[in-house]
Amino acid sequence: MTTAPGNRHPSQDANGLFARFIAATEIDTRLLGMIGALVLIWLGFQFYGEIVKGDGFFLTPRNLWNLSVQMCSIGVMATGMVLVIVTRNIDLSVGSMLGFIGMLMGLLQVEWLPPHLGLGHPAIWIITVIVGLCLGALMGTLNGLLIAFLEIPSFIVTLGGLMFWRGGAFLLANGRTISPVDSTFALIGGGPYGAIGSTGSWVIGLVACAAVIFGLVAGRANRRKHDFPQRPVWAEVVLAVLGCGLIIGAVLVVDAYPWPKGIVAKYIADNGLTVDPATLFIAHGFAYPVLILTTVAILMTILMTKTRFGRYVFAIGGNPEAAALSGINVKWMTVKIFALMGTLAGLSAVISSARLTSATNALGQTDELYVIAAAVIGGTSLAGGVGTIYGAVLGALVMESLRTGMVLIGFDTAIQSMVVGGVLVVAVYLDIVYRKRIK
Amino acid sequence: MDKGTPLVEMRDISIAFGGIKAVDHVTVDLYPGEVVGLLGHNGAGKSTLIKCLSGAYRADSGQILINGQPVEIANPRDAREHNIETIYQTLALADNLTAAQNLFLGRELVNARGFLDESAMEAETRKIMGRLNPNFRKFNVPVSALSGGQRQSVAIARAVYFNAKILIMDEPTAALGPHETQMVAELIQELKTQGLGIFLIEHDIHSVMKLCDRASVMKNGQLVGTVKVDEVTDEDILGMIILGKKPAKAA
Ligand SMILES: Nc1ncnc2c1ncn2[C@@H]1O[C@H](COP(=O)(O)OP(=O)(O)OP(=O)(O)O)[C@@H](O)[C@H]1O
Ligand SMILES: [Mg+2]
């Protein structure tokens, strides 16, 4: 605000109003930018469908539900990539780690465990998931040790990992596709049975709304206690309405997507009901992987903003030397961060192989690029020190929207990869422009 | 002239980087309530010497004694445990964090559940900054948005906040205006009367004459000598710095 209040141009007033709204609600302008981009992409695909194909396929409950499931694998890994990039490192090996872990879990549950435990034994999926997560942690720890203690640049270590684990995945099963995975395990990937249904979704939605309101009230009370400046009440109300509105909107969307007729008929037969399958509407509700991603995102946000660990991650990114002089063990932090990244790659391996109900050689291929793109589009600075978890999750949604949208309108993979590559470069450029402007 | 056991004794410290002897068999000491100036030309080895005390470097040889007891200072954490606080020449701030986050870096306040207590940290930072730099208002921005002097006052606040017994100040007023420099001078006097021992690295000879009790001069990594400031003139000290000669009367 450099102009005096008396001689303002009307357009400046409008500008001022928006600026005041942003200042009062403390909404991150970059978050608004990302939501803007997302809306553009969604509307773009929708109109393309309506005009060219005569059918707006994008903004349908069915597509949005699928989108929510498909973004989970990338989204989970993107939350970890934020920590890696914030500390001025990179992990190019996540896609291959995912592939290797997915293949090993496939063999474990399809070929190695059933002869001992019996097919469909309830312990199979549990053992498989635990092994997958632990293997991811180990692989990540190996990355971290090489980077921190042998001081090999992370770019090289994980580029090596990208090739090594992809080759390893092939060797594990000699290129075979392993399927079908354990039926309980498959639920983790979503699908009609891998979702919590209408009632569950409403319960979760209302609990989330309550949490949003509680968070705003508690934050306000805390600021008052310490005599810190408060947001105006109207801004708090706007935030509460926006937050709850988004949550309830999501519940309405996932509850508007019914089970396919075939599954409904089978469900009726299995439960000995006497309803007409054509009239029975069973909603999907939130899919399990979406709940997993949400949980991961919440835990990672707490880790990054409320714990010493998260503070040290940012400090290392801002100034590694200052962090070390403050008594932070930068090397062990690096190992822990890569171990966490590996664990999340393990979790993503669970989600994506469960979704495919098989482990293939291509599992996770080029995922590293989507994950890095998601983190960067979400505002994680490659210069280090800056990044948010919610940004990375939104970034994953943007990337996945592009991918599914292009598949739906029939772009072939060559064009898809050109678009994704272009988007990545443009996103980093916009990030640079944005950072220069706020300085 | 016996003042009892020194608070800090650095005995025969040497450290080399590659072939360069940055610090070459240097011995300095510091008593409670005393300010010892460390002087010397650029690259003389002053910062390197005190970094052995603050835990940033490990000396190749030599011994560090605190209150007469030999101690191992292997990392900055060890130094902090001996109540040694340091203001580094480079300030050592994480640019992307706020003043409060920098002040408590490595020693965050946490609440009962083990989560960071941001508001308590900010409140404490407001208190100490109110004392050191009452004009400071920028509590909610990263320190990259601060001026050089404001950054310096954050670094000073961090060293002073945690009740140091031994304070190392490496050119603490390099970026400060005259008023702020005066405030740091007063702060040093005040801390001195509280019984802290302070190593002060400073190029301005008048500040040294005014603030320090003794001055140790280094040249090319070696100690030229240590003099009592009120027994020598500023020319004597300049002679030590430039020519590396100890004044005759203090020998
Ligand atoms: N990390 C390092 N690696 C290699 N050489 C170093 C390192 N740190 C210091 N040196 C060298 O050691 C010598 C002493 O440096 P030091 O920083 O201690 O000087 P100083 O007395 O503090 O100088 P100034 O007044 O400029 O701050 C210099 O020759 C410097 O180049
Ligand atoms: Mg120096």
Side-chain angles (χ1 to χ4, degrees):
Chain A
M1 301 294 117
T2 43
T3 36
N7 51 14
R8 273 226 198 122
H9 192 266
S11 76
Q12 276 175 324
D13 264 341
N15 235 328
L17 207 65
F18 180 69
R20 257 180 48 209
F21 172 78
I22 296 295
T25 50
E26 296 172 15
I27 291 179
D28 185 3
T29 45
R30 155 160 226 133
L31 175 66
L32 285 183
M34 254 186 299
I35 293 174
L38 193 61
V39 170
L40 276 182
I41 291 170
W42 286 13
L43 291 179
F45 282 125
Q46 175 71 9
F47 288 138
Y48 183 94
E50 275 175 16
I51 293 161
V52 179
K53 307 209 155 173
D55 169 27
F57 51 77
F58 200 90
L59 294 180
T60 58
R62 173 196 160 94
N63 186 52
L64 292 178
W65 189 90
N66 277 322
L67 187 59
S68 77
V69 174
Q70 274 159 3
M71 72 171 284
C72 291
S73 171
I74 300 290
V76 164
M77 291 194 283
T79 65
M81 193 60 80
V82 172
L83 279 68
V84 171
I85 298 180
V86 163
T87 51
R88 308 184 180 188
N89 285 309
I90 195 81
D91 193 337
L92 298 172
S93 66
V94 291
S96 294
M97 291 200 287
L98 188 158
F100 184 87
I101 298 167
M103 187 58 77
L104 191 118
M105 288 191 305
L107 288 170
L108 190 63
Q109 60 188 312
V110 176
E111 297 186 0
W112 298 343
L113 287 179
H116 301 284
L117 296 173
L119 197 64
H121 190 283
I124 288 181
W125 77 272
I126 298 173
I127 295 174
T128 305
V129 169
I130 292 172
V131 166
L133 296 182
C134 292
L135 184 62
L138 274 177
M139 292 159 89
T141 305
L142 178 66
N143 277 344
L145 289 172
L146 294 174
I147 292 158
F149 290 96
L150 301 189
E151 293 175 21
I152 311 170
S154 58
F155 180 83
I156 297 300
V157 169
T158 59
L159 182 62
L162 172 120
M163 306 183 71
F164 188 90
W165 297 119
R166 184 58 63 194
F170 184 90
L171 280 190
L172 271 180
N174 289 317
R176 283 179 300 144
T177 291
I178 309 297
S179 77
V181 299
D182 179 82
S183 57
T184 316
F185 183 87
L187 297 182
I188 303 172
Y193 294 119
I196 54 171
S198 175
T199 317
S201 300
W202 274 111
V203 169
I204 288 188
L206 293 178
V207 168
C209 287
V212 165
I213 293 168
F214 175 81
L216 288 171
V217 171
R220 202 173 166 77
N222 195 23
R223 288 186 189 208
R224 188 174 320 118
K225 195 175 105 194
H226 286 91
D227 277 336
F228 294 163
Q230 300 263 2
R231 274 196 286 257
V233 174
W234 67 263
E236 306 268 18
V237 173
V238 167
L239 284 177
V241 169
L242 277 179
C244 297
L246 272 177
I247 293 166
I248 290 173
V251 174
L252 290 174
V253 168
V254 294
D255 277 0
Y257 177 38
W259 283 12
K261 291 287 164 268
I263 307 254
V264 174
K266 186 165 179 294
Y267 174 83
I268 290 171
D270 286 351
N271 289 278
L273 300 177
T274 52
V275 235
D276 176 12
T279 60
L280 189 60
F281 185 101
I282 303 180
H284 277 77
F286 289 117
Y288 291 159
V290 173
L291 300 182
I292 294 174
L293 172 61
T294 312
T295 311
V296 166
I298 291 171
L299 291 179
M300 293 290 280
T301 301
I302 292 173
L303 183 72
M304 284 295 265
T305 59
K306 302 266 182 254
T307 70
R308 286 197 164 134
F309 182 90
R311 178 58 41 80
Y312 298 167
V313 168
F314 283 116
I316 292 170
N319 186 345
E321 208 177 305
L325 290 175
S326 301
I328 297 168
N329 194 329
V330 177
K331 287 183 193 293
W332 275 115
M333 282 293 298
T334 304
V335 175
K336 287 183 202 165
I337 289 163
F338 275 91
L340 181 57
M341 180 74 254
T343 312
L344 292 172
L347 183 55
S348 287
V350 171
I351 293 172
S352 48
S353 64
R355 177 166 169 71
L356 278 180
T357 67
S358 65
T360 69
N361 251 314
L363 198 65
Q365 213 150 31
T366 69
D367 269 10
E368 58 281 342
L369 297 181
Y370 281 87
V371 170
I372 293 167
V376 171
I377 287 175
T380 307
S381 162
L382 288 165
V386 182
T388 57
I389 300 296
Y390 68 77
V393 173
L394 258 179
L397 184 55
V398 169
M399 292 307 293
E400 200 54 50
S401 298
L402 272 177
R403 176 148 71 177
T404 46
M406 288 191 296
V407 170
L408 284 175
I409 63 179
F411 277 8
D412 59 37
T413 45
I415 298 181
Q416 286 180 38
S417 95
M418 290 170 75
V419 170
V420 169
V423 164
L424 181 58
V425 174
V426 171
V428 172
Y429 171 69
L430 289 179
D431 179 59
I432 292 168
V433 172
Y434 174 82
R435 278 180 215 287
K436 278 197 185 133
R437 276 197 50 203
I438 57 166
K439 256 192 186 155
Chain B
M1 265 324 303
D2 184 34
K3 289 192 279 186
T5 340
L7 190 55
V8 181
E9 257 187 290
M10 298 182 76
R11 275 193 201 154
D12 211 25
I13 302 286
S14 294
I15 180 168
F17 298 107
I20 304 165
K21 287 182 178 167
V23 176
D24 193 4
H25 297 287
V26 172
T27 299
V28 290
D29 57 5
L30 176 69
Y31 288 85
E34 188 188 39
V35 180
V36 171
L38 279 177
L39 293 87
H41 58 86
N42 291 127
K46 309 177 294 290
S47 297
T48 307
L49 176 68
I50 56 97
K51 279 183 179 172
C52 296
L53 182 58
S54 71
Y57 294 154
R58 286 197 86 161
D60 297 335
S61 68
Q63 217 185 3
I64 296 175
L65 289 87
I66 294 192
N67 294 318
Q69 301 295 317
V71 294
E72 274 291 301
I73 297 179
N75 55 47
R77 216 173 266 271
D78 290 350
R80 286 180 167 187
E81 263 160 35
H82 290 295
N83 296 306
I84 300 169
E85 293 291 334
T86 312
I87 300 161
Y88 292 97
Q89 191 171 8
T90 53
L91 302 183
L93 300 174
D95 277 342
N96 55 337
L97 302 184
T98 63
Q101 292 171 342
N102 266 292
L103 199 144
F104 285 95
L105 189 58
R107 289 180 284 207
E108 292 75 9
L109 302 179
V110 291
N111 60 23
R113 276 173 296 168
F115 290 132
L116 297 175
D117 195 342
E118 302 290 353
S119 358
M121 289 191 274
E122 187 178 331
E124 288 297 298
T125 307
R126 280 173 190 268
K127 264 191 238 160
I128 180 106
M129 290 306 283
R131 234 182 78 201
L132 294 177
N133 184 352
N135 295 323
F136 190 88
R137 290 280 175 284
K138 299 195 157 180
F139 289 100
N140 289 313
V141 295
V143 296
S144 59
L146 304 187
S147 75
Q150 290 169 331
R151 290 162 60 86
Q152 197 123 33
S153 57
V154 173
I156 295 174
R158 173 168 63 180
V160 176
Y161 177 80
F162 292 96
N163 298 321
K165 294 209 175 72
I166 300 156
L167 192 56
I168 301 168
M169 305 173 106
D170 195 347
E171 306 194 25
T173 58
L176 298 185
H179 178 64
E180 288 79 6
T181 303
Q182 180 56 32
M183 289 189 63
V184 171
E186 282 163 19
L187 175 70
I188 290 176
Q189 304 284 9
E190 184 193 325
L191 296 173
K192 202 176 124 151
T193 57
Q194 292 172 12
L196 272 78
I198 301 175
F199 274 125
L200 177 64
I201 299 178
E202 176 65 68
H203 285 291
D204 177 33
I205 195 81
H206 300 290
S207 309
V208 173
M209 298 303 284
K210 202 175 76 187
L211 293 172
C212 299
D213 300 295
R214 287 185 298 148
S216 295
V217 179
M218 290 178 71
K219 188 173 166 66
N220 298 330
Q222 291 173 331
L223 185 71
V224 175
T226 302
V227 293
K228 288 218 165 88
V229 167
D230 45 15
E231 291 173 0
V232 294
T233 64
D234 39 3
E235 268 96 54
D236 292 332
I237 295 184
L238 282 175
M240 290 171 75
I241 296 172
I242 297 164
L243 305 171
K245 277 202 303 221
K246 247 192 133 174
K249 54 189 162 188

